[in-house]
Amino acid sequence: AEEIFIRSEKMSIAGQLAAGIAHEIRNPLTSLRGFIQLLEAGMENKEAYYKIMMDEIEKINTITSELLFISKPMTDEKSEASVTEMVSDVITLLKTQANLYNINLLFNVEEEIVIYCDRSQLKQVFINLIKNAIEEMADGGDVITTIKKTEEYCIISIKDQGPGIPKHLIHKLKEPFFTTKKNGTGLGLMISNQIIENHHGFLQIESENDKGSTFSIHLPV
Ligand code: ADP
Ligand code: MG
């Protein structure tokens, strides 16, 4: 995948996606074909193979669902909505999962902030970023979400205590299919970035080795 992205720096997003999809789906398909050949040859221990085959099918399934989400026309259902309330809803939704991994989801708000936005799209962004934070903290810890307001922006920042991101990789995070996870799709940040830009904002990524990362969503007020 690495090689594809270096060559595709100048390709359109659609071109990068197409190249990535072909690659990401071909790998599990190749492995499925291999396992079927092994089974045809009459292997013992079939159950172990079925398990791996199901995992490969699940991988293809996850990629397809995320792609369906992207290919849906962005319904622009914008209205005035409270960012505080949206973030709070998402935190409540993810709290149970976080607790299982010894992670506290903390929330700092200075004031109630209302902006013109598409609620379901923005909620998707908050879910993606907080989930990423949780997934980086194998040993537990705190994920701190802070909302504040400047003259220009409502800034929602999500700070984790994970391993951080090496500097040379930060610019790759928003590219489709860049993932360091065994079962990752590498689509979450690309989708999130697209939604934020659809709101005329931007996503800032800061990270220090061993000190965790902070993802700051800037949305114009
Ligand atoms: P996925 O979660 O499926 O891997 P994403 O687009 O959400 O896809 O994230 C892409 C990659 O960015 C992750 O695989 C990980 O390497 C990196 N990343 C995202 N969030 C964080 C974070 N909070 N800390 C460190 N690395 C992160
Ligand atoms: Mg993700």
PDB file of all heavy atoms in Angstrom, residues 94 125-137 143 158 160 162 173 181 187-190 192 215:
ATOM      1  N   LEU A  94     -19.987   6.058  23.719  1.00  0.00           N
ATOM      2  CA  LEU A  94     -18.730   5.294  23.687  1.00  0.00           C
ATOM      3  C   LEU A  94     -18.203   4.915  25.069  1.00  0.00           C
ATOM      4  O   LEU A  94     -17.244   4.160  25.190  1.00  0.00           O
ATOM      5  CB  LEU A  94     -17.653   6.094  22.938  1.00  0.00           C
ATOM      6  CG  LEU A  94     -17.917   6.366  21.456  1.00  0.00           C
ATOM      7  CD1 LEU A  94     -16.809   7.229  20.864  1.00  0.00           C
ATOM      8  CD2 LEU A  94     -18.024   5.057  20.676  1.00  0.00           C
ATOM      9  N   VAL A 125     -17.840  12.286  12.822  1.00  0.00           N
ATOM     10  CA  VAL A 125     -16.450  12.740  13.015  1.00  0.00           C
ATOM     11  C   VAL A 125     -16.022  12.518  14.471  1.00  0.00           C
ATOM     12  O   VAL A 125     -14.949  11.971  14.738  1.00  0.00           O
ATOM     13  CB  VAL A 125     -16.301  14.236  12.655  1.00  0.00           C
ATOM     14  CG1 VAL A 125     -14.911  14.752  13.016  1.00  0.00           C
ATOM     15  CG2 VAL A 125     -16.596  14.466  11.179  1.00  0.00           C
ATOM     16  N   PHE A 126     -16.874  12.917  15.426  1.00  0.00           N
ATOM     17  CA  PHE A 126     -16.513  12.771  16.848  1.00  0.00           C
ATOM     18  C   PHE A 126     -16.331  11.291  17.195  1.00  0.00           C
ATOM     19  O   PHE A 126     -15.398  10.927  17.910  1.00  0.00           O
ATOM     20  CB  PHE A 126     -17.577  13.412  17.756  1.00  0.00           C
ATOM     21  CG  PHE A 126     -17.822  14.868  17.455  1.00  0.00           C
ATOM     22  CD1 PHE A 126     -19.108  15.410  17.527  1.00  0.00           C
ATOM     23  CD2 PHE A 126     -16.776  15.702  17.085  1.00  0.00           C
ATOM     24  CE1 PHE A 126     -19.338  16.753  17.244  1.00  0.00           C
ATOM     25  CE2 PHE A 126     -17.000  17.054  16.798  1.00  0.00           C
ATOM     26  CZ  PHE A 126     -18.282  17.572  16.874  1.00  0.00           C
ATOM     27  N   ILE A 127     -17.221  10.446  16.658  1.00  0.00           N
ATOM     28  CA  ILE A 127     -17.097   9.007  16.916  1.00  0.00           C
ATOM     29  C   ILE A 127     -15.762   8.486  16.354  1.00  0.00           C
ATOM     30  O   ILE A 127     -15.010   7.811  17.053  1.00  0.00           O
ATOM     31  CB  ILE A 127     -18.281   8.220  16.282  1.00  0.00           C
ATOM     32  CG1 ILE A 127     -19.581   8.519  17.018  1.00  0.00           C
ATOM     33  CG2 ILE A 127     -18.005   6.713  16.285  1.00  0.00           C
ATOM     34  CD1 ILE A 127     -20.840   7.949  16.364  1.00  0.00           C
ATOM     35  N   ASN A 128     -15.450   8.841  15.121  1.00  0.00           N
ATOM     36  CA  ASN A 128     -14.203   8.353  14.503  1.00  0.00           C
ATOM     37  C   ASN A 128     -12.986   8.750  15.330  1.00  0.00           C
ATOM     38  O   ASN A 128     -12.098   7.930  15.587  1.00  0.00           O
ATOM     39  CB  ASN A 128     -14.029   8.936  13.095  1.00  0.00           C
ATOM     40  CG  ASN A 128     -14.955   8.291  12.072  1.00  0.00           C
ATOM     41  OD1 ASN A 128     -15.525   7.231  12.326  1.00  0.00           O
ATOM     42  ND2 ASN A 128     -15.109   8.926  10.926  1.00  0.00           N
ATOM     43  N   LEU A 129     -12.930  10.020  15.760  1.00  0.00           N
ATOM     44  CA  LEU A 129     -11.715  10.497  16.438  1.00  0.00           C
ATOM     45  C   LEU A 129     -11.595   9.938  17.856  1.00  0.00           C
ATOM     46  O   LEU A 129     -10.501   9.579  18.298  1.00  0.00           O
ATOM     47  CB  LEU A 129     -11.675  12.034  16.464  1.00  0.00           C
ATOM     48  CG  LEU A 129     -11.606  12.716  15.098  1.00  0.00           C
ATOM     49  CD1 LEU A 129     -11.316  14.205  15.242  1.00  0.00           C
ATOM     50  CD2 LEU A 129     -10.550  12.094  14.197  1.00  0.00           C
ATOM     51  N   ILE A 130     -12.715   9.852  18.557  1.00  0.00           N
ATOM     52  CA  ILE A 130     -12.636   9.315  19.929  1.00  0.00           C
ATOM     53  C   ILE A 130     -12.336   7.817  19.883  1.00  0.00           C
ATOM     54  O   ILE A 130     -11.537   7.309  20.670  1.00  0.00           O
ATOM     55  CB  ILE A 130     -13.918   9.632  20.731  1.00  0.00           C
ATOM     56  CG1 ILE A 130     -14.052  11.156  20.891  1.00  0.00           C
ATOM     57  CG2 ILE A 130     -13.885   8.955  22.115  1.00  0.00           C
ATOM     58  CD1 ILE A 130     -15.329  11.626  21.553  1.00  0.00           C
ATOM     59  N   LYS A 131     -12.917   7.109  18.908  1.00  0.00           N
ATOM     60  CA  LYS A 131     -12.604   5.682  18.747  1.00  0.00           C
ATOM     61  C   LYS A 131     -11.126   5.481  18.458  1.00  0.00           C
ATOM     62  O   LYS A 131     -10.492   4.589  19.013  1.00  0.00           O
ATOM     63  CB  LYS A 131     -13.417   5.094  17.596  1.00  0.00           C
ATOM     64  CG  LYS A 131     -14.718   4.486  18.032  1.00  0.00           C
ATOM     65  CD  LYS A 131     -15.216   3.546  16.943  1.00  0.00           C
ATOM     66  CE  LYS A 131     -16.251   2.602  17.502  1.00  0.00           C
ATOM     67  NZ  LYS A 131     -17.066   2.005  16.436  1.00  0.00           N
ATOM     68  N   ASN A 132     -10.574   6.300  17.577  1.00  0.00           N
ATOM     69  CA  ASN A 132      -9.137   6.195  17.284  1.00  0.00           C
ATOM     70  C   ASN A 132      -8.315   6.379  18.555  1.00  0.00           C
ATOM     71  O   ASN A 132      -7.354   5.650  18.787  1.00  0.00           O
ATOM     72  CB  ASN A 132      -8.710   7.260  16.263  1.00  0.00           C
ATOM     73  CG  ASN A 132      -8.983   6.831  14.827  1.00  0.00           C
ATOM     74  OD1 ASN A 132      -9.265   5.669  14.560  1.00  0.00           O
ATOM     75  ND2 ASN A 132      -8.890   7.780  13.920  1.00  0.00           N
ATOM     76  N   ALA A 133      -8.699   7.374  19.360  1.00  0.00           N
ATOM     77  CA  ALA A 133      -7.965   7.624  20.605  1.00  0.00           C
ATOM     78  C   ALA A 133      -8.024   6.380  21.502  1.00  0.00           C
ATOM     79  O   ALA A 133      -6.999   5.934  22.028  1.00  0.00           O
ATOM     80  CB  ALA A 133      -8.550   8.840  21.319  1.00  0.00           C
ATOM     81  N   ILE A 134      -9.224   5.814  21.642  1.00  0.00           N
ATOM     82  CA  ILE A 134      -9.395   4.612  22.482  1.00  0.00           C
ATOM     83  C   ILE A 134      -8.515   3.476  21.954  1.00  0.00           C
ATOM     84  O   ILE A 134      -7.831   2.797  22.713  1.00  0.00           O
ATOM     85  CB  ILE A 134     -10.878   4.167  22.503  1.00  0.00           C
ATOM     86  CG1 ILE A 134     -11.751   5.208  23.195  1.00  0.00           C
ATOM     87  CG2 ILE A 134     -11.032   2.797  23.157  1.00  0.00           C
ATOM     88  CD1 ILE A 134     -13.259   4.951  23.106  1.00  0.00           C
ATOM     89  N   GLU A 135      -8.526   3.309  20.633  1.00  0.00           N
ATOM     90  CA  GLU A 135      -7.796   2.187  20.028  1.00  0.00           C
ATOM     91  C   GLU A 135      -6.284   2.296  20.196  1.00  0.00           C
ATOM     92  O   GLU A 135      -5.571   1.308  20.077  1.00  0.00           O
ATOM     93  CB  GLU A 135      -8.162   2.066  18.532  1.00  0.00           C
ATOM     94  CG  GLU A 135      -9.556   1.476  18.337  1.00  0.00           C
ATOM     95  CD  GLU A 135     -10.131   1.699  16.932  1.00  0.00           C
ATOM     96  OE1 GLU A 135      -9.463   2.338  16.089  1.00  0.00           O
ATOM     97  OE2 GLU A 135     -11.267   1.264  16.695  1.00  0.00           O
ATOM     98  N   GLU A 136      -5.773   3.504  20.464  1.00  0.00           N
ATOM     99  CA  GLU A 136      -4.320   3.672  20.627  1.00  0.00           C
ATOM    100  C   GLU A 136      -3.871   3.425  22.061  1.00  0.00           C
ATOM    101  O   GLU A 136      -2.680   3.398  22.345  1.00  0.00           O
ATOM    102  CB  GLU A 136      -3.883   5.090  20.224  1.00  0.00           C
ATOM    103  CG  GLU A 136      -3.993   5.394  18.745  1.00  0.00           C
ATOM    104  CD  GLU A 136      -3.073   4.541  17.877  1.00  0.00           C
ATOM    105  OE1 GLU A 136      -1.990   4.153  18.350  1.00  0.00           O
ATOM    106  OE2 GLU A 136      -3.460   4.252  16.730  1.00  0.00           O
ATOM    107  N   MET A 137      -4.819   3.314  23.009  1.00  0.00           N
ATOM    108  CA  MET A 137      -4.432   3.252  24.415  1.00  0.00           C
ATOM    109  C   MET A 137      -4.614   1.856  24.995  1.00  0.00           C
ATOM    110  O   MET A 137      -5.498   1.609  25.804  1.00  0.00           O
ATOM    111  CB  MET A 137      -5.198   4.318  25.209  1.00  0.00           C
ATOM    112  CG  MET A 137      -4.738   5.710  24.777  1.00  0.00           C
ATOM    113  SD  MET A 137      -5.724   7.055  25.374  1.00  0.00           S
ATOM    114  CE  MET A 137      -5.790   6.725  27.085  1.00  0.00           C
ATOM    115  N   VAL A 143      -8.908   9.960  27.859  1.00  0.00           N
ATOM    116  CA  VAL A 143      -9.103  10.686  26.602  1.00  0.00           C
ATOM    117  C   VAL A 143      -9.851  11.955  26.980  1.00  0.00           C
ATOM    118  O   VAL A 143     -10.951  11.891  27.546  1.00  0.00           O
ATOM    119  CB  VAL A 143      -9.932   9.874  25.582  1.00  0.00           C
ATOM    120  CG1 VAL A 143     -10.226  10.711  24.347  1.00  0.00           C
ATOM    121  CG2 VAL A 143      -9.219   8.589  25.212  1.00  0.00           C
ATOM    122  N   ILE A 158      -9.441  16.539  20.861  1.00  0.00           N
ATOM    123  CA  ILE A 158      -9.464  15.207  21.475  1.00  0.00           C
ATOM    124  C   ILE A 158      -8.023  14.792  21.719  1.00  0.00           C
ATOM    125  O   ILE A 158      -7.231  14.661  20.795  1.00  0.00           O
ATOM    126  CB  ILE A 158     -10.184  14.209  20.538  1.00  0.00           C
ATOM    127  CG1 ILE A 158     -11.654  14.629  20.438  1.00  0.00           C
ATOM    128  CG2 ILE A 158     -10.076  12.782  21.070  1.00  0.00           C
ATOM    129  CD1 ILE A 158     -12.287  14.391  19.129  1.00  0.00           C
ATOM    130  N   ASP A 160      -5.258  12.238  23.556  1.00  0.00           N
ATOM    131  CA  ASP A 160      -5.098  10.902  24.129  1.00  0.00           C
ATOM    132  C   ASP A 160      -3.726  10.752  24.783  1.00  0.00           C
ATOM    133  O   ASP A 160      -2.884  11.640  24.693  1.00  0.00           O
ATOM    134  CB  ASP A 160      -5.323   9.825  23.068  1.00  0.00           C
ATOM    135  CG  ASP A 160      -4.278   9.851  21.960  1.00  0.00           C
ATOM    136  OD1 ASP A 160      -3.073   9.798  22.269  1.00  0.00           O
ATOM    137  OD2 ASP A 160      -4.670   9.928  20.777  1.00  0.00           O
ATOM    138  N   GLY A 162      -1.885   8.005  24.098  1.00  0.00           N
ATOM    139  CA  GLY A 162      -1.339   6.895  23.321  1.00  0.00           C
ATOM    140  C   GLY A 162       0.123   7.125  22.966  1.00  0.00           C
ATOM    141  O   GLY A 162       0.742   8.058  23.473  1.00  0.00           O
ATOM    142  N   LEU A 173      -1.971  10.501   7.422  1.00  0.00           N
ATOM    143  CA  LEU A 173      -3.147  10.036   8.143  1.00  0.00           C
ATOM    144  C   LEU A 173      -4.472  10.289   7.418  1.00  0.00           C
ATOM    145  O   LEU A 173      -5.408   9.515   7.545  1.00  0.00           O
ATOM    146  CB  LEU A 173      -3.205  10.677   9.536  1.00  0.00           C
ATOM    147  CG  LEU A 173      -2.585   9.871  10.671  1.00  0.00           C
ATOM    148  CD1 LEU A 173      -1.177   9.455  10.388  1.00  0.00           C
ATOM    149  CD2 LEU A 173      -2.672  10.641  11.973  1.00  0.00           C
ATOM    150  N   LYS A 181      -3.380  -0.551  11.822  1.00  0.00           N
ATOM    151  CA  LYS A 181      -4.108  -1.539  12.622  1.00  0.00           C
ATOM    152  C   LYS A 181      -4.360  -2.800  11.827  1.00  0.00           C
ATOM    153  O   LYS A 181      -4.623  -2.738  10.635  1.00  0.00           O
ATOM    154  CB  LYS A 181      -5.445  -0.951  13.075  1.00  0.00           C
ATOM    155  CG  LYS A 181      -5.248   0.235  13.988  1.00  0.00           C
ATOM    156  CD  LYS A 181      -6.532   0.985  14.215  1.00  0.00           C
ATOM    157  CE  LYS A 181      -6.201   2.363  14.777  1.00  0.00           C
ATOM    158  NZ  LYS A 181      -7.377   3.231  14.774  1.00  0.00           N
ATOM    159  N   LEU A 187      -9.945   4.527   6.629  1.00  0.00           N
ATOM    160  CA  LEU A 187     -10.889   5.447   5.983  1.00  0.00           C
ATOM    161  C   LEU A 187     -11.463   6.486   6.951  1.00  0.00           C
ATOM    162  O   LEU A 187     -11.960   7.522   6.521  1.00  0.00           O
ATOM    163  CB  LEU A 187     -12.033   4.654   5.334  1.00  0.00           C
ATOM    164  CG  LEU A 187     -11.632   3.817   4.114  1.00  0.00           C
ATOM    165  CD1 LEU A 187     -12.788   2.931   3.658  1.00  0.00           C
ATOM    166  CD2 LEU A 187     -11.168   4.719   2.983  1.00  0.00           C
ATOM    167  N   GLY A 188     -11.381   6.210   8.256  1.00  0.00           N
ATOM    168  CA  GLY A 188     -12.015   7.085   9.240  1.00  0.00           C
ATOM    169  C   GLY A 188     -11.557   8.536   9.173  1.00  0.00           C
ATOM    170  O   GLY A 188     -12.384   9.454   9.150  1.00  0.00           O
ATOM    171  N   LEU A 189     -10.265   8.746   9.119  1.00  0.00           N
ATOM    172  CA  LEU A 189      -9.756  10.126   9.120  1.00  0.00           C
ATOM    173  C   LEU A 189      -9.994  10.817   7.782  1.00  0.00           C
ATOM    174  O   LEU A 189     -10.222  12.017   7.735  1.00  0.00           O
ATOM    175  CB  LEU A 189      -8.270  10.159   9.482  1.00  0.00           C
ATOM    176  CG  LEU A 189      -7.969   9.937  10.966  1.00  0.00           C
ATOM    177  CD1 LEU A 189      -6.466   9.909  11.201  1.00  0.00           C
ATOM    178  CD2 LEU A 189      -8.618  11.022  11.825  1.00  0.00           C
ATOM    179  N   MET A 190      -9.970  10.026   6.698  1.00  0.00           N
ATOM    180  CA  MET A 190     -10.245  10.628   5.403  1.00  0.00           C
ATOM    181  C   MET A 190     -11.685  11.140   5.362  1.00  0.00           C
ATOM    182  O   MET A 190     -11.949  12.263   4.966  1.00  0.00           O
ATOM    183  CB  MET A 190     -10.016   9.618   4.283  1.00  0.00           C
ATOM    184  CG  MET A 190     -10.025  10.258   2.924  1.00  0.00           C
ATOM    185  SD  MET A 190     -10.772   9.223   1.662  1.00  0.00           S
ATOM    186  CE  MET A 190     -12.447   9.220   2.202  1.00  0.00           C
ATOM    187  N   SER A 192     -13.596  11.838   7.964  1.00  0.00           N
ATOM    188  CA  SER A 192     -13.743  12.932   8.927  1.00  0.00           C
ATOM    189  C   SER A 192     -13.245  14.240   8.341  1.00  0.00           C
ATOM    190  O   SER A 192     -13.884  15.283   8.455  1.00  0.00           O
ATOM    191  CB  SER A 192     -12.969  12.629  10.207  1.00  0.00           C
ATOM    192  OG  SER A 192     -13.447  11.430  10.769  1.00  0.00           O
ATOM    193  N   PHE A 215      -6.051  15.768  18.342  1.00  0.00           N
ATOM    194  CA  PHE A 215      -6.732  16.060  17.080  1.00  0.00           C
ATOM    195  C   PHE A 215      -7.698  17.211  17.348  1.00  0.00           C
ATOM    196  O   PHE A 215      -8.605  17.077  18.175  1.00  0.00           O
ATOM    197  CB  PHE A 215      -7.503  14.830  16.594  1.00  0.00           C
ATOM    198  CG  PHE A 215      -6.599  13.746  16.050  1.00  0.00           C
ATOM    199  CD1 PHE A 215      -5.773  13.019  16.887  1.00  0.00           C
ATOM    200  CD2 PHE A 215      -6.582  13.474  14.688  1.00  0.00           C
ATOM    201  CE1 PHE A 215      -4.927  12.026  16.385  1.00  0.00           C
ATOM    202  CE2 PHE A 215      -5.747  12.479  14.172  1.00  0.00           C
ATOM    203  CZ  PHE A 215      -4.920  11.764  15.017  1.00  0.00           C
TER     204      PHE A 215
END
